Amino acid sequence: MPRYKLTIEYDGTDFSGWQIQPNAVTIEETLEKAFSTVLQQDVDLVGQGRTDAGVHARGQVAHVDLPDHTDLEKLLPGVNRMVGQKIQVTEIEPVSDDFHARFDAIARQYEYTITTRNIPVMQRYAWALYQPVDKKLLEECAALLKGEIDFAGFSKFNEDNFTTLCEIQLSAFEFDGEVIRYHIRANRFLRNMVRRLVGTMVHVAQGKKSINDFQKKLQKPAFKIPTHTAPAKGLILEKTFYKKV
């Protein structure tokens, strides 16, 4: 069957993440049910990676094998109507039969949004802070995240990890009035890694930890200083990058 690459957006607030789980509503399961219903046969989606409960996406990617002569112009609207307004497949394109959404990805980019006060219309998509932050310290922390780093100290243990090394290609804060956005791009990410980095950087910028402690934790993951995990709602998977499709 021909293979297709899907680009997917979703509001993850009411979902237990991407990956199918027993007794929980997930993005992957919701999409597979919709595709299977429209096509009247079982369909298996393979995602580039999973996002945790409450995390959002603009650029999640999956691949799927569909029957010959599938009418894509009818399939996509049918699937999008069935999954509801919180999930949408924004693009479907043919790819080679050996394309793999996960293994062919060369980088992923995330955005984390922070507000310096409670902004009601952003409550579902941002971490509202109630203490001031030193923006210069945030920038200094972000500048430490360059090149290949062992993030074992900033991630949730996962026995499936073959390595805890990640190569950081972009790490930068963007300031826009009461809104702060952090952008990070890497070849791979570990579970809770971005949220723990953001939460700990914010604690440094609020004077709860020193930048030296942050740097030591990066250099020596076993260093005995606790990290802080930022809320899931501020995190968005922006884009997944590929050499080829």
Side-chain angles (χ1 to χ4, degrees), residues 5-174:
K5 173 176 173 276
L6 309 175
T7 303
I8 305 156
E9 291 183 0
Y10 50 84
D11 177 339
T13 305
D14 301 321
F15 295 91
S16 296
W18 166 266
Q19 190 173 30
I20 293 176
Q21 303 173 41
N23 305 314
V25 180
T26 67
I27 306 293
E28 183 181 25
E29 179 185 30
T30 303
L31 280 166
E32 284 191 357
K33 285 182 176 178
F35 272 94
S36 298
T37 299
V38 173
L39 294 170
Q40 293 295 292
Q41 68 177 67
D42 290 341
V43 171
D44 181 31
L45 268 65
V46 178
Q48 64 80 25
R50 61 185 177 187
T51 52
D52 291 334
V55 174
H56 318 292
R58 294 192 190 101
Q60 175 66 297
V61 171
H63 75 251
V64 63
D65 296 331
L66 299 176
D68 288 323
H69 311 302
T70 297
D71 188 338
L72 300 182
E73 291 186 2
K74 291 183 179 179
L75 174 65
L76 197 57
V79 167
N80 282 338
R81 283 194 300 270
M82 189 159 291
V83 295
Q85 295 184 345
K86 295 176 182 177
I87 306 174
Q88 292 287 279
V89 180
T90 59
E91 189 174 4
I92 181 168
E93 55 183 307
V95 289
S96 61
D97 292 343
D98 62 350
F99 172 82
H100 197 286
R102 178 183 175 189
F103 299 130
D104 287 349
I106 58 173
R108 289 91 169 161
Q109 182 165 318
Y110 283 88
E111 174 186 278
Y112 194 96
T113 302
I114 298 166
T115 56
T116 55
R117 69 171 178 88
N118 178 37
I119 301 178
V121 297
M122 296 184 69
Q123 278 186 353
R124 289 168 66 97
Y125 312 107
W127 178 19
L129 302 180
Y130 295 94
Q131 296 179 31
V133 291
D134 185 326
K135 295 178 180 178
K136 184 178 179 182
L137 281 174
L138 287 178
E139 291 179 321
E140 289 178 6
C141 285
L144 294 173
L145 302 176
K146 290 183 178 179
E148 190 173 72
I149 298 173
D150 185 350
F151 286 100
F154 286 91
S155 62
K156 190 172 182 179
F157 175 75
N158 184 350
E159 61 183 10
D160 294 332
N161 283 337
F162 62 90
T163 179
T164 50
L165 294 174
C166 302
E167 184 181 347
I168 305 300
Q169 302 164 3
L170 169 69
S171 172
F173 279 95
E174 172 190 350

